[in-house]
Amino acid sequence: MSAELNRLNAMPAAEAEVAFLQCCGSSKWAQKMTKKRPHRDLDVLCKAADRVWWSLRREDWLEAFSRHPKIGERAAAKPSDGHAQEWSQQEQSAASGARQDVLAELTEANRAYFERFGYIFIVCATGKTSEEMLALLKQRLQNDPNAELRIVAEEQRRITRLRLEKLLQMDVKT
């Protein structure tokens, strides 16, 4: 077991919830993950994270979604604590260097997406160009609302897994 995972397992519940909340913006997810400690290793941690995520209700998912900035923007509707904002900027780094016309299209597509579904477009942006994210956004605008909610939840699950790995690569107290 890594030293970082040992620290996460040993922290007071309130501190652990804050650390978990940086990985997934759902308060209920963070609370449940805290109660599931100790986690033996990253694989066990990620499997628990997935089980907890899929056990949550729609409103818990929406809370997590609200803590993300829109693709191409820097600030989330509900600000994130700690490293979550920094991680989000890293994950969306391709969008920060996008051409002005692509950023304008992202802004318009984000607006249309929010109007259609009632929450922001979420994609695991790591490794994707701004043009790829724009194409995905436009494609997903055509989805049935129930199908799209499941897609967004899966994207959030993938983001959470990446962030759990990042959390365990750093001193979790910072």
Side-chain angles (χ1 to χ4, degrees):
M1 185 180 327
S2 73
E4 291 78 11
L5 186 55
N6 278 335
R7 277 192 292 265
L8 180 63
N9 284 334
M11 353 174 119
E15 288 180 38
E17 280 185 32
V18 169
F20 282 124
L21 198 56
Q22 293 177 63
C23 298
C24 175
S26 164
S27 300
K28 188 161 286 179
W29 182 88
Q31 291 164 3
K32 287 184 175 193
M33 287 300 294
T34 298
K35 288 178 184 171
K36 288 196 169 289
R37 295 178 306 156
H39 301 286
R40 184 176 66 239
D41 56 36
L42 178 61
D43 186 55
V44 169
L45 175 67
C46 288
K47 285 179 181 173
D50 289 351
R51 279 191 306 278
V52 170
W53 178 248
W54 291 117
S55 75
L56 297 178
R57 296 170 28 165
R58 183 179 194 272
E59 58 265 19
D60 302 313
W61 290 355
L62 295 177
E63 179 189 14
F65 303 163
S66 74
R67 294 189 186 265
H68 287 275
K70 294 176 186 170
I71 297 292
E73 293 183 6
R74 289 213 177 277
K78 216 178 190 182
S80 298
D81 296 328
H83 295 282
Q85 185 174 356
E86 174 188 337
W87 290 339
S88 186
Q89 288 173 356
Q90 291 169 357
E91 294 156 3
Q92 292 190 37
S93 62
S96 66
R99 295 186 328 259
Q100 205 57 37
D101 61 319
V102 173
L103 286 175
E105 280 191 74
L106 278 169
T107 298
E108 178 55 29
N110 276 321
R111 185 199 55 72
Y113 185 96
F114 188 84
E115 284 180 7
R116 175 154 168 70
F117 298 112
Y119 49 84
I120 70 163
F121 173 72
I122 303 284
V123 65
C124 186
T126 301
K128 291 180 179 62
T129 67
S130 53
E131 290 82 2
E132 289 171 320
M133 289 184 276
L134 177 59
L136 283 168
L137 199 166
K138 287 180 176 180
Q139 177 221 346
R140 286 177 39 198
L141 268 167
Q142 308 310 309
N143 288 341
D144 167 79
N146 291 325
E148 182 59 17
L149 182 62
R150 295 297 291 185
I151 291 168
V152 175
E154 172 59 17
E155 293 294 315
Q156 175 66 52
R157 185 201 65 79
R158 292 176 59 211
I159 293 165
T160 299
R161 182 167 284 219
L162 290 172
R163 290 181 178 184
L164 283 169
E165 291 171 7
K166 290 176 184 178
L167 182 69
L168 294 184
Q169 292 171 359
M170 60 183 284
D171 179 355
V172 293
K173 290 183 179 182
T174 60

